[in-house]
Amino acid sequence: MLRHDGLAGIHRRGFPSLWQNRERAITPAEREAAREAFERTIRRFRELAEESPAGS
């Protein structure tokens, strides 16, 4: 079953989200800036998806 977590996109239940996997490789001091960049990127991908023709 797929679900949308509102931030990292769609993932299978029980598996870590994309951000949770990415966060492990980032030092604590860099996580806030990295999280903001990650969220900006996800928002942009969603914008591009909304602008794309259906079925593309």
Side-chain angles (χ1 to χ4, degrees):
M1 175 177 204
L2 296 176
R3 76 175 180 85
H4 189 277
D5 72 4
L7 192 94
I10 297 173
H11 61 89
R12 295 198 181 279
R13 184 183 298 171
F15 289 93
S17 71
L18 182 57
W19 173 253
Q20 289 169 325
N21 282 327
R22 180 71 184 108
E23 182 181 36
R24 293 180 191 141
I26 301 170
T27 64
E30 298 173 328
R31 284 188 186 143
E32 184 176 346
R35 181 70 181 236
E36 290 171 5
F38 179 84
E39 290 177 2
R40 281 193 309 272
T41 301
I42 295 298
R43 280 194 301 273
R44 182 62 184 141
F45 280 128
R46 288 184 180 141
E47 290 170 3
L48 292 171
E50 289 174 6
E51 295 169 2
S52 299
S56 64

